[in-house]
Amino acid sequence: MCGIVGAVAQRNITPILIEGLKRLEYRGYDSCGIALHTNGQLQRSRSTARVAELEKQIEQSGLCGFTGIAHTRWATHGAPSTDNAHPHFSRERIALVHNGIIENHEELRAELSALGYVFTSQTDTEVIAHLVDHLYHGDLFDTLQQAVKRLHGAYAIAVFCRDEPHRVVGARQGSPLIVGVGQGENFLASDAMAIAGITDQIIYLEEGDVVDLQLQRCWIVDADGRPVQREVRTVHAHTGAADLGPYRHYMQKEIFEQPRAIGDTLEGVTGIMPELFGDQAYGVFQKIDSLLILACGTSYYAGLTAKYWIESIAKIPVQVEVASEYRYRDSVPNPSTLVVTISQSGETADTLAALKHARSLGMHHTLTICNVATSAMARECELAYITRAGVEVGVASTKAFTTQLAALFLLTLALAQSKGRLNVEQEASHLKAMRHLPVAISAVLALEPQIIAWSEDFAKYENALFLGRGMHYPIALEGALKLKEISYIHAEAYPAGELKHGPLALVTKEMPVVTVAPKDGLLEKLKSNMQEVRARGGELYVFADADTHISSGEGIHVIRLPENYGQLSPILHTVALQLLAYHTALARGTDVDKPRNLAKSVTVE
């Protein structure tokens, strides 16, 4: 959520800033803006429309400059409006953008108001701009170092001053910020993708860093004000995601990219070995006796699925926690626990904070499953498995989720092997099934026409219930989440056995019940739950395996998946549920890729 791009150069940077904002649109936003140092003055343009509309405004005004900052905002303090959009000015001298949340903004606002500063927005960001102006003494770099000492909360800041051309200063605490190093020019961004094609020389700022960017210089100090050298890495950020090809939306494209994404994620896996997760993995796996999985949203459901796999195959107890809750409750730490974080971006603020909390309790064995090798989570964890989903633009996660599941199944097998619970025949069987996944997913994608027919009926509903049993219960949760995220239909998911313990009261002909029905040991129990729905006049929409002997009839609609896939069945059923959510949203005319109120990368608490 929110995106920052900044630059100091000897050329007009307006096209660079606008292109950077376009590449950050996937993160989610409801306003955007740009500020430039032009003819000795600060000038800006802001909009509550899309970046394309901002670009038109700028073309009409002729705004250009060699130093500037730009921003996409996802509203936290203050509604989406032009006044609340970034960049914020202070006394026409300071221009500033900010990702994150300042927790003591009310105290600072009162203090600055008493000093005569007039606030024109409801944001916490404007507080930072006025604070910087108040403390300014001719050196913006030193001023920002002093200002951040007054801030409580999370922030990534980019700021420049009317009185210091060719200088942009930034700071990072709890929200990602990177530096792009160029030839006679330098850049700031919240994501390397924003400046892909401009430079591939990237510095990842660490917690508490403050950076001074000038034409020929990049100077960094740490939280204590000591000069530090941060590694310059060559990062080839992917820029091809903007090409929709034959698809109507990024979400549809990303659903259909899943066979490739799964194949890429498993590429090079010729055998099961702990070292897939890092050189030290075998030693770590030998020491641990339990797992603690920390994640949010869709990634949390991946963790819930992994709990079934790991406890069944590796015989290791697993606890799965919502990261945003875990850090605020009293828990019982176990130093022999492997703490596993799951995150698409590797920058999820709540998950990073939960990881730090777990370490503070003495749990130092850590592993992350994420999609970005250079992310904070990958850098902070002892072990890692980087999925290769590629850039995911649609806010609702699809290929990032299924590649997480593939990685977690690999982790299950590696743990089982390290504990002596996976023999050669079992390893060969699991590897064969995993290699077949891309083909199996392609067969599910071929069901799209049947799912489209369902969606046309489904779009008329305002509520839906999803049911699953065993390891398919988390998949039901994920299916409900996808539907509510992009179609705005209220959806809930339950273990099917809980139906008679409350949710059955909701079932009428106006409450469709989506059921995940694989051929497994719980199928007959699930059929009984389905009969409970039919007895109350409910409409059943069943995703069944080919050999479940569930047939369509009055009040029951069945789509058969091509094959039963055993332990990996949750991945196939996920794809079918993604298609149902996508086409239902399409039928309802919602903004599929940018659903209201949501952001792709949640980098604030």
Side-chain angles (χ1 to χ4, degrees):
M1 60 174 55
C2 299
I4 288 173
V5 194
V8 51
Q10 300 177 75
R11 54 175 165 158
N12 177 25
I13 60 169
T14 305
I16 295 172
L17 298 182
I18 290 296
E19 180 60 26
L21 292 187
K22 288 179 179 177
R23 291 180 181 171
L24 294 176
E25 286 188 287
Y26 78 96
R27 298 167 72 96
Y29 68 105
D30 41 44
S31 63
C32 52
I34 184 173
L36 293 160
H37 195 289
T38 304
N39 299 322
Q41 301 296 321
L42 303 186
Q43 295 189 20
R44 68 180 167 184
S45 182
R46 299 182 291 177
S47 173
T48 55
R50 294 301 182 194
V51 173
E53 292 303 314
L54 176 68
E55 184 176 24
K56 290 178 184 177
Q57 289 179 203
I58 292 168
E59 288 173 352
Q60 292 169 0
S61 66
L63 190 61
C64 62
F66 303 113
T67 301
I69 51 180
H71 191 263
T72 52
R73 175 180 185 254
W74 186 81
T76 52
H77 294 79
S81 69
T82 302
D83 286 342
N84 288 331
H86 301 209
H88 287 286
F89 283 1
S90 180
R91 295 185 174 176
E92 302 301 318
R93 180 168 68 171
I94 299 296
L96 183 143
V97 295
H98 159 238
N99 293 350
I101 293 177
I102 304 303
E103 295 172 356
N104 61 331
H105 71 99
E106 291 181 346
E107 170 192 331
L108 291 171
R109 180 183 287 260
E111 177 183 327
L112 291 161
S113 295
L115 292 170
Y117 284 92
V118 176
F119 286 81
T120 60
S121 78
Q122 291 79 49
T123 67
D124 53 345
T125 301
E126 191 180 7
V127 169
I128 312 173
H130 291 322
L131 178 63
V132 170
D133 182 82
H134 170 60
L135 297 174
Y136 185 68
H137 52 75
D139 185 334
L140 187 61
F141 185 47
D142 182 71
T143 298
L144 187 58
Q145 292 177 66
Q146 298 306 311
V148 296
K149 292 176 181 177
R150 300 287 314 278
L151 304 179
H152 301 160
Y155 54 77
I157 295 168
V159 57
F160 71 97
C161 177
R162 178 195 63 202
D163 302 336
E164 296 185 68
H166 295 301
R167 191 180 207 184
V168 172
V169 179
R172 182 216 166 158
Q173 179 69 47
S175 194
L177 192 65
I178 61 103
V179 174
V181 181
Q183 296 293 322
E185 58 187 17
N186 288 298
F187 307 89
L188 273 179
S190 47
D191 189 320
M193 191 167 72
I195 52 176
I198 304 300
T199 180
D200 61 1
Q201 299 300 292
I202 303 298
I203 297 172
Y204 290 88
L205 297 178
E206 297 187 9
E207 291 289 271
D209 282 355
V210 182
V211 60
D212 181 8
L213 297 184
Q214 299 182 37
L215 292 174
Q216 303 291 343
R217 145 180 170 138
C218 171
W219 183 262
I220 302 172
V221 298
D222 65 15
D224 296 320
R226 296 173 300 202
V228 290
Q229 294 290 327
R230 301 297 186 208
E231 180 185 357
V232 180
R233 307 185 187 196
T234 300
V235 176
H236 300 291
H238 180 66
T239 60
D243 181 13
L244 270 174
Y247 301 103
R248 294 183 63 177
H249 297 91
Y250 288 112
M251 183 178 179
Q252 185 187 29
K253 176 175 182 275
E254 289 152 9
I255 289 171
F256 277 82
E257 285 176 341
Q258 287 175 114
R260 189 272 308 158
I262 293 281
D264 288 351
T265 295
L266 300 177
E267 185 178 2
V269 178
T270 57
I272 302 302
M273 59 194 76
E275 287 74 18
L276 291 168
F277 297 86
D279 293 340
Q280 308 302 316
Y282 180 79
V284 172
F285 290 177
Q286 287 294 301
K287 295 173 185 175
I288 62 102
D289 59 16
S290 62
L291 270 71
L292 168 63
I293 298 177
L294 302 171
C296 300
T298 287
S299 295
Y300 172 69
Y301 299 148
L304 289 177
T305 308
K307 175 181 172 72
Y308 285 93
W309 286 337
I310 294 168
E311 293 192 342
S312 173
I313 298 172
K315 308 300 182 185
I316 300 173
V318 179
Q319 182 180 357
V320 187
E321 295 265 2
V322 176
S324 57
E325 291 293 318
Y326 169 72
R327 61 186 290 216
Y328 292 117
R329 73 173 186 83
D330 292 331
S331 57
V332 181
N334 174 9
S336 298
T337 290
L338 177 63
V339 179
V340 179
T341 64
I342 310 173
S343 168
Q344 188 281 134
S345 67
E347 303 286 353
T348 308
D350 285 316
T351 308
L352 279 168
L355 170 65
K356 292 174 184 176
H357 178 65
R359 284 201 309 233
S360 74
L361 297 177
M363 294 186 285
H364 297 295
H365 298 308
T366 58
L367 182 153
T368 190
I369 305 287
C370 77
N371 193 36
V372 183
T374 54
S375 65
M377 224 163 279
R379 297 196 304 273
E380 293 194 17
C381 283
E382 182 181 16
L383 306 173
Y385 194 92
I386 306 303
T387 59
R388 298 174 64 186
V391 175
E392 190 177 66
V393 176
V395 166
S397 182
T398 52
K399 61 180 181 174
F401 177 67
T402 50
T403 53
Q404 285 173 353
L405 290 176
L408 287 162
F409 194 74
L410 268 183
L411 176 62
T412 298
L413 300 181
L415 288 166
Q417 187 197 68
S418 71
K419 299 295 187 184
R421 294 164 188 156
L422 186 72
N423 62 39
V424 175
E425 292 77 14
Q426 290 168 330
E427 177 180 343
S429 176
H430 287 309
L431 278 172
K432 181 180 178 181
M434 294 193 80
R435 292 191 188 107
H436 184 61
L437 267 174
V439 173
I441 292 171
S442 296
V444 176
L445 292 171
L447 299 172
E448 186 179 33
Q450 297 178 54
I451 295 173
I452 290 172
W454 271 15
S455 69
E456 291 168 356
D457 287 335
F458 221 83
K460 69 186 179 185
Y461 295 112
E462 294 301 326
N463 301 281
L465 195 61
F466 285 67
L467 300 178
R469 297 205 73 150
M471 63 185 174
H472 292 83
Y473 165 53
I475 302 309
L477 286 165
E478 171 64 8
L481 176 63
K482 283 293 154 286
L483 188 70
K484 73 181 75 169
E485 280 181 312
I486 62 171
S487 75
Y488 313 146
I489 293 173
H490 169 246
E492 294 185 61
Y494 281 88
E498 287 293 292
L499 193 61
K500 63 178 68 69
H501 296 285
L504 198 58
L506 297 172
V507 172
T508 69
K509 64 180 180 179
E510 299 303 320
M511 172 70 85
V513 179
V514 180
T515 307
V516 182
K519 180 109 170 38
D520 60 17
L522 290 170
L523 178 61
E524 295 306 316
K525 298 288 186 184
L526 183 65
K527 287 180 179 179
S528 297
N529 302 139
M530 291 165 57
Q531 288 303 317
E532 293 168 357
V533 172
R534 283 299 305 128
R536 276 78 182 176
E539 292 280 319
L540 282 163
Y541 292 80
V542 184
F543 287 108
D545 286 348
D547 50 357
T548 53
H549 304 295
I550 300 173
S551 301
S552 296
E554 184 179 355
I556 180 167
H557 316 272
V558 179
I559 291 178
R560 298 189 186 283
L561 273 64
E563 56 186 307
N564 175 278
Y565 221 59
Q567 293 279 5
L568 291 170
S569 172
I571 296 177
L572 302 192
H573 282 273
T574 293
V575 175
L577 293 170
Q578 291 170 351
L579 286 170
L580 177 62
Y582 171 74
H583 284 290
T584 301
L586 202 62
R588 288 168 69 93
T590 60
D591 190 341
V592 173
D593 286 332
K594 301 182 183 72
R596 68 189 181 204
N597 305 333
L598 299 181
K600 180 66 179 174
S601 181
V602 184
T603 54
V604 297
E605 185 178 352

